[in-house]
Amino acid sequence: LFPLPGVVLFPGAPLPLHVFEPRYRKMVADALASHRTIGMVLLKPGYEENYQGRPPIYPTGCTGTIVEEERLEDGRYNLLLLGQSRFRVVEERGGEPYRLAVVEERPDSKGDASSLDVLRERLLAAIARLTDGATLAGLRDDVSHLALVNGLSQGLDLAPLEKLSLLECDTLEARALRLLEILEFHALERTAGRSGTLH
């Protein structure tokens, strides 16, 4: 496991990482020598006091495959992970300086395609409202629903707990709906900020 305070990985989404702590350097070396897989999990608030130990984590995470690696001269790594599948931590185990866990895979269900078509348009419209009419540059029509929803969930500037609530959705349809709720809430906040109060 690689617990971080502000990072949530989603299936199919890329994540660049810079690894510098000795325990996580060993984790990367061990992963590169075997399955090339790391489980990304989110640290709970208050982790700072026990960061060097094993502070509490949220149980839902996402595995990432190391698709690119660069080992620097001092032993640090630059990595590119590609999100694979969601999981739930069943129990943690010792034996290494980094954290090991038994996990239960939680595959995404794609949901109803026609519903996702509609949600896709609503999501793009919500983003355009938040960005004063700007559209997602370079977004092609052939980008899959999964790539769009998970890419937005990871790439948008949302609070870590908002991202975690998206990762916890069991279907792509539910995740798209949740993302739409979050975007519409932020749009209302923005409107309230402009007008002083929202009546």
Side-chain angles (χ1 to χ4, degrees), residues 109-127:
S109 169
K110 291 182 181 177
D112 178 59
S114 59
S115 175
L116 282 164
D117 287 340
V118 174
L119 285 168
R120 179 191 187 103
E121 295 308 314
R122 291 178 64 193
L123 279 171
L124 294 175
I127 290 169

Side-chain angles (χ1 to χ4, degrees), residues 37-66:
T37 302
I38 294 170
M40 300 300 300
V41 288
L42 186 66
L43 286 165
K44 289 186 174 181
Y47 67 88
E48 295 89 350
E49 289 182 11
N50 189 31
Y51 179 72
Q52 296 303 324
R54 294 177 184 265
I57 57 171
Y58 291 97
T60 299
C62 183
T63 59
T65 299
I66 301 170

Side-chain angles (χ1 to χ4, degrees), residues 47-122:
Y47 67 88
E48 295 89 350
E49 289 182 11
N50 189 31
Y51 179 72
Q52 296 303 324
R54 294 177 184 265
I57 57 171
Y58 291 97
T60 299
C62 183
T63 59
T65 299
I66 301 170
V67 292
E68 291 180 22
E69 76 273 1
E70 176 191 17
R71 184 171 185 190
L72 305 176
E73 288 184 5
D74 59 3
R76 293 174 296 134
Y77 286 93
N78 289 322
L79 303 178
L80 182 64
L81 291 189
L82 183 63
Q84 297 298 326
S85 61
R86 299 180 312 131
F87 64 81
R88 177 167 289 276
V89 174
V90 177
E91 64 174 310
E92 287 200 49
R93 298 213 171 146
E96 294 291 349
Y98 53 87
R99 297 170 78 161
L100 293 168
V102 176
V103 302
E104 176 183 59
E105 189 177 4
R106 297 176 60 196
D108 275 354
S109 169
K110 291 182 181 177
D112 178 59
S114 59
S115 175
L116 282 164
D117 287 340
V118 174
L119 285 168
R120 179 191 187 103
E121 295 308 314
R122 291 178 64 193

Side-chain angles (χ1 to χ4, degrees), residues 107-195:
D108 275 354
S109 169
K110 291 182 181 177
D112 178 59
S114 59
S115 175
L116 282 164
D117 287 340
V118 174
L119 285 168
R120 179 191 187 103
E121 295 308 314
R122 291 178 64 193
L123 279 171
L124 294 175
I127 290 169
R129 283 193 300 275
L130 276 170
T131 57
D132 293 323
T135 56
L136 295 172
L139 180 63
R140 303 189 315 270
D141 290 337
D142 62 351
V143 171
S144 70
H145 293 318
L146 186 143
L148 178 74
V149 173
N150 286 352
L152 289 174
S153 295
Q154 183 169 310
L156 289 173
D157 185 19
L158 304 174
L161 285 180
E162 289 177 320
K163 292 188 178 191
L164 184 65
S165 76
L166 291 164
L167 185 65
E168 288 175 339
C169 294
D170 287 327
T171 69
L172 194 59
E173 188 176 357
R175 187 169 302 139
L177 275 168
R178 174 72 184 129
L179 180 56
L180 189 61
E181 289 172 0
I182 290 170
L183 293 175
E184 289 175 343
F185 174 75
H186 285 299
L188 282 171
E189 275 190 325
R190 193 171 172 199
T191 302
R194 283 177 177 167
S195 60

